[in-house]
Amino acid sequence: MTKAVIFCSLKLVIWVLYTSAFSNVYAQPQHRVTILVDESYPPYTYVNNGEPAGIYVDLVKQAARLMDDKYIIELHPVPWKRGVAALEHGDAFALMPPYKHIKRRPFIWPYSVPLLEEVVVAFCNTGISLANIETKDTTVNPINVGLNAGYMILDDVLDQASKQGKIKLWENKDTYSNVIKLAKKRIDCYVNDRLSTLLGLRNVKRLHPELELSTIVEDRVVLRRTAHIGYVKDSLNKYPFKHDFIQKMDEALQAVLDSQAVELANE
């Protein structure tokens, strides 16, 4: 074998090793991203055996698989209020699943494509109603309304009623806590997502068969809102990948949502 052939062979080996190492470096995910998740919002987000679970969790996990060449995405369950505070103080990158409250939460921007539309309703004990509250005078005996801590889900009518003293708001930890208080008539009404509340009622009935739940009825639709992943505003110095991640996550989420829509249409 001539020196020229040996030299060419060595160059080929070096080139193969270099390109292999180069491709391996860039084949690995470049960023680890944590999304905070409400730990007490079934069936959308909750904790099951210590792990995040729920409709939105499954959706984001599917989307994450479409972008795992660049990002490792971790979902970390937290109490809702703590998650909101983390974004407000710039201590977290993203939170799921807030509604859009651009003016009241200026520290969250932007929001992802919609995950789903939720219907927020009021459930009340029989004989009590928030319907047409604007025409009633309940200031002497305000209607006690339960909310999940940190959730801003009142429409303009109920918000005004609260300012006028017609209703009194009570923030409780989660859906389970509110349903228990509603069943024990410690609150008169409870405002939350319809599906989440119905599951809460079912769980309370299973765990506390002694409680009377037949007097609790759906009273009125409060509002319809889409849920999202909300990102901390600015913070490009801390999260230089922010814009790229949001774009790729939106594309991945939309692909998953489109595929699910096609599956449902073909069933």
Side-chain angles (χ1 to χ4, degrees):
M1 183 179 294
T2 66
K3 290 183 178 180
V5 172
I6 293 173
F7 181 72
C8 289
S9 298
L10 286 172
K11 284 181 66 176
L12 178 61
V13 170
I14 292 171
W15 182 82
V16 169
L17 290 173
Y18 173 79
T19 54
S20 176
F22 186 83
S23 62
N24 284 338
V25 168
Y26 284 90
Q28 298 301 317
Q30 298 174 42
H31 301 287
R32 186 179 297 272
V33 178
T34 299
I35 299 175
L36 302 182
V37 179
D38 187 354
E39 66 180 14
S40 301
Y41 192 42
Y44 303 108
T45 60
Y46 58 97
V47 175
N48 183 28
N49 294 324
E51 296 295 326
I55 295 171
Y56 295 151
V57 170
D58 291 342
L59 178 59
V60 171
K61 282 183 176 179
Q62 291 181 63
R65 286 195 284 271
L66 299 178
M67 45 194 297
D68 62 3
D69 59 324
K70 190 169 182 179
Y71 295 99
I72 297 174
I73 299 172
E74 298 178 346
L75 302 179
H76 182 62
V78 293
W80 179 249
K81 251 187 161 176
R82 187 185 303 171
V84 173
L87 257 66
E88 184 175 12
H89 299 142
D91 296 329
F93 175 64
L95 173 68
M96 181 170 74
Y99 302 147
K100 278 189 178 181
H101 289 295
I102 297 173
K103 291 184 178 179
R104 286 189 279 179
R105 289 181 182 150
F107 49 88
I108 299 180
W109 186 260
Y111 292 81
S112 71
V113 297
L115 305 176
L116 281 179
E117 181 183 70
E118 298 177 21
V119 181
V120 176
V121 301
F123 280 82
C124 297
N125 280 303
T126 303
I128 301 171
S129 177
L130 295 175
N132 303 315
I133 188 68
E134 65 273 24
T135 65
K136 300 174 181 176
D137 184 5
T138 58
T139 52
V140 176
N141 294 300
I143 298 173
N144 293 298
V145 178
L147 299 171
N148 285 8
Y151 271 82
M152 297 186 290
I153 52 177
L154 300 182
D155 60 7
D156 292 340
V157 171
L158 291 179
D159 188 49
Q160 186 64 24
S162 174
K163 293 175 181 176
Q164 294 172 341
K166 293 182 177 183
I167 65 175
K168 189 171 182 179
L169 304 178
W170 300 89
E171 287 191 286
N172 298 298
K173 180 182 178 182
D174 50 26
T175 301
Y176 177 82
S177 302
N178 273 293
V179 170
I180 287 287
K181 290 191 175 185
L182 188 60
K184 293 183 176 181
K185 295 182 173 53
R186 294 177 183 172
I187 55 176
D188 302 309
C189 299
Y190 171 47
V191 175
N192 193 25
D193 168 72
R194 175 188 282 143
L195 184 55
S196 182
T197 305
L198 289 173
L199 285 174
L201 286 164
R202 187 177 70 179
N203 288 337
V204 168
K205 184 177 181 179
R206 176 174 55 84
L207 295 172
H208 298 279
E210 75 281 3
L211 292 178
E212 179 57 58
L213 302 181
S214 63
T215 59
I216 299 173
V217 296
E218 182 175 327
D219 178 56
R220 55 163 286 200
V221 172
V222 176
L223 49 79
R224 297 175 184 271
R225 289 289 187 271
T226 52
H228 305 260
I229 300 173
Y231 298 95
V232 64
K233 189 175 182 180
D234 303 323
S235 297
L236 285 175
N237 290 335
K238 190 172 184 180
Y239 307 107
F241 54 83
K242 176 181 176 181
H243 293 319
D244 179 70
F245 177 87
I246 292 172
Q247 179 185 347
K248 287 182 169 53
M249 175 56 79
D250 277 351
E251 291 171 352
L253 285 171
Q254 198 59 61
V256 174
L257 289 166
D258 290 346
S259 67
Q260 290 182 351
V262 171
E263 290 175 8
L264 289 171
N266 292 331
E267 286 183 356

